[in-house]
Amino acid sequence: MGLINFVGFYTFLAALSLGPLSIIVSITGMHFVIAVLLSVIVYKEKLSGMRILGIGLAIVSILFLRA
């Protein structure tokens, strides 16, 4: 676990050196999307319309920040 944490933090620092802070922090703040997608894949959880809408809006917000 410590090795995975180290690699993740190192990747985060490398991303900060390459891109703007507002976009990098917004993308890393979307960690909940990965948790939801893994729960769909691993536990066969059904996504409600509100969750799909929330994930879509989070992704659209990143696209707006990028422009």
Side-chain angles (χ1 to χ4, degrees):
M1 188 67 175
L3 183 62
I4 293 172
N5 190 20
F6 174 74
V7 170
F9 187 69
Y10 184 76
T11 305
F12 176 70
L13 290 177
L16 285 176
S17 69
L18 296 174
L21 176 67
S22 62
I23 294 176
I24 302 300
V25 171
S26 299
I27 290 172
T28 56
M30 290 180 45
H31 62 277
F32 67 90
V33 174
I34 294 174
V36 170
L37 293 177
L38 283 175
S39 70
V40 168
I41 293 169
V42 174
Y43 297 118
K44 309 291 190 243
E45 186 175 324
K46 302 289 185 207
L47 287 180
S48 66
M50 291 300 285
R51 280 195 182 181
I52 293 171
L53 179 65
I55 291 170
L57 288 174
I59 293 170
V60 167
S61 70
I62 296 298
L63 295 175
F64 280 148
L65 282 173
R66 185 172 168 233

